[in-house]
Amino acid sequence: MVKTNSGRFFEDYAVGQTINHAAPRTVGQGERALYQALYPARHALYSSDLFAQACGLRESPLDDLLAFHVVFGKTVPDVSLNAVANLGYAEGRWRQPVYVGDTLRSSSEVIGLKQNSSGKTGVVYVRTCGMNQRDEIVIEFVRWVMVRKRNIAEPAPEAVVPKLIKAVDPKALIIPDGLNFSNYDFDLAGETHRWGDYSIGEVIDHVDGVTLEEAEHMMATRLWQNTAKVHFDATFRPDGKRLIYGGHIMSLARTLSFNGLANAQIIVGLNGGAHANPAFSGLTIRAWSEVLDKAETVVPGVGAIRLRLVATRGGSPFERLDSGGKYLSDVLLDLDYWALMPV
């Protein structure tokens, strides 16, 4: 009797299927310390209890992307263990802060399937929810991933491609309970730029760069319990390289964005995202952001800003696409998100 599990392949999924993922995880200060060591994150709200309390929260939450990685990592053995690539994100919302001592678990619903023309792979669309120990949804998002087929001769399923919204309505963004920026300390935050200082269409060069290290990537991937073969097994890809987890690039780019966006404290919405090109150790990545939109919120003094965060490995600054609308080869990440900022 076979007791091991080689993971799901494309033909193992069905629209409407619900998958409850294994290994709930209680998160603590260790995760915070490792997160800040790996990236290193500097947003004040996630670094200081006193700063967070001055902003109306009970204590400093764990970083929004840390919560994303933990919830995402749970899904990998069931959704993307045999993935070729994680392709994109949409309809993401952070609904509750995650605090030290919370226990997170994940569940995903298959909402779309489409076999690729080669017949060797297909795209699986899932809607994932991360819940805490009180059964509150802390984060939800849609992602789609290209997965290998086990049997190329297996007939293609009926194609179902979900209709996804292009951006989360700012009125649907959830402001953490108690958040109040009336006592916000701009000196401690690191920059003086408020919500009103940014203009739609403005582009911000985050200036700094960081070189991807194999050891750091492997530590991060293990930390998030991401078991995708492309990240661990150098024999899994024809080129013999281990693919850098796309979320690792997300957190590095977000960290780089501190320089120019230090007051974009809280990520509350994920409108879209694409890992445009693969990343490998040894590359030096840089980042820039474009202000796409701004919106007032129901909380006085708190504004929402919509940002496009682009991570590159060099090349022409502030460009993403070629004349044909395809991503330039130097673009690694294109992330569209909403953040909260003091007005």
Side-chain angles (χ1 to χ4, degrees):
M1 183 178 182
V2 177
K3 292 183 173 63
T4 56
N5 177 15
S6 59
R8 287 175 169 86
F9 291 83
F10 178 70
E11 55 264 49
D12 297 324
Y13 297 95
V15 173
Q17 179 182 14
T18 297
I19 305 169
N20 294 313
H21 306 295
R25 179 165 176 174
T26 302
V27 291
Q29 293 289 10
E31 278 85 357
R32 188 200 305 275
L34 284 169
Y35 188 89
Q36 293 179 344
L38 286 167
Y39 294 115
R42 291 185 288 160
H43 287 86
L45 198 76
Y46 299 99
S47 299
S48 165
D49 285 340
L50 292 178
F51 189 96
Q53 289 162 359
C55 294
L57 303 182
R58 75 184 200 210
E59 62 188 73
S60 176
L62 297 178
D63 195 284
D64 304 307
L65 288 181
L66 187 158
F68 171 85
H69 294 320
V70 171
V71 169
F72 182 102
K74 305 280 162 235
T75 74
V76 170
D78 298 312
V79 175
S80 47
L81 190 65
N82 293 303
V84 178
N86 191 54
L87 299 176
Y89 308 95
E91 298 186 5
R93 289 193 303 167
W94 281 257
R95 297 177 52 168
Q96 296 279 344
V98 174
Y99 292 103
V100 168
D102 281 349
T103 297
L104 304 181
R105 68 183 194 281
S106 303
S107 177
S108 297
E109 179 188 0
V110 179
I111 61 172
L113 292 171
K114 185 179 185 299
Q115 182 167 301
N116 291 324
S117 57
S118 68
K120 298 179 180 179
T121 59
V123 179
V124 180
Y125 297 79
V126 297
R127 186 182 302 277
T128 294
C129 290
M131 287 78 69
N132 63 18
Q133 67 275 17
R134 294 179 295 276
D135 293 329
E136 299 166 333
I137 297 176
V138 299
I139 183 175
E140 59 186 355
F141 55 89
V142 172
R143 72 172 173 125
W144 48 104
V145 57
M146 187 187 303
V147 180
R148 288 178 169 84
K149 290 187 68 176
R150 178 188 293 106
N151 179 7
I152 297 175
E154 185 75 18
E158 179 183 357
V160 176
V161 178
K163 293 182 179 179
L164 302 172
I165 59 175
K166 292 184 178 180
V168 177
D169 187 330
K171 295 179 181 178
L173 300 174
I174 296 176
I175 313 301
D177 289 342
L179 186 70
N180 185 335
F181 285 152
S182 59
N183 293 319
Y184 191 91
D185 191 321
F186 287 88
D187 288 335
L188 293 181
E191 289 180 349
T192 60
H193 313 306
R194 299 172 179 263
W195 180 83
D197 296 327
Y198 293 88
S199 302
I200 295 174
E202 180 179 0
V203 173
I204 303 157
D205 182 356
H206 299 304
V207 180
D208 304 307
V210 61
T211 300
L212 297 174
E213 300 288 350
E214 187 84 359
E216 291 174 355
H217 163 248
M218 293 310 302
M219 181 181 292
T221 311
R222 294 183 181 114
L223 177 63
W224 313 130
Q225 298 173 314
N226 183 333
T227 58
K229 297 173 184 177
V230 290
H231 304 320
F232 279 89
D233 186 350
T235 68
F236 196 68
R237 288 172 52 91
D239 58 11
K241 296 180 180 180
R242 289 187 288 198
L243 186 68
I244 299 289
Y245 164 48
H248 192 60
I249 305 297
M250 289 168 61
S251 281
L252 286 171
R254 163 73 169 164
T255 297
L256 291 174
S257 76
F258 179 91
N259 190 350
L261 286 167
N263 295 315
Q265 289 284 354
I266 302 175
I267 300 177
V268 287
L270 179 58
N271 302 306
H275 300 293
N277 286 288
F280 303 99
S281 64
L283 294 179
T284 297
I285 71 168
R286 303 184 186 277
W288 54 271
S289 293
E290 179 184 1
V291 179
L292 299 178
D293 199 0
K294 296 169 63 180
E296 296 179 349
T297 74
V298 296
V299 178
V302 178
I305 184 168
R306 182 180 172 188
L307 299 162
R308 179 191 302 283
L309 175 61
V310 179
T312 76
R313 56 179 183 179
S316 301
F318 316 139
E319 294 181 4
R320 298 179 302 118
L321 308 175
D322 63 19
S323 58
K326 294 184 178 180
Y327 281 110
L328 297 170
S329 61
D330 288 325
V331 175
L332 302 176
L333 173 72
D334 182 3
L335 196 70
D336 178 345
Y337 69 99
W338 284 103
L340 300 180
M341 178 179 282
V343 172

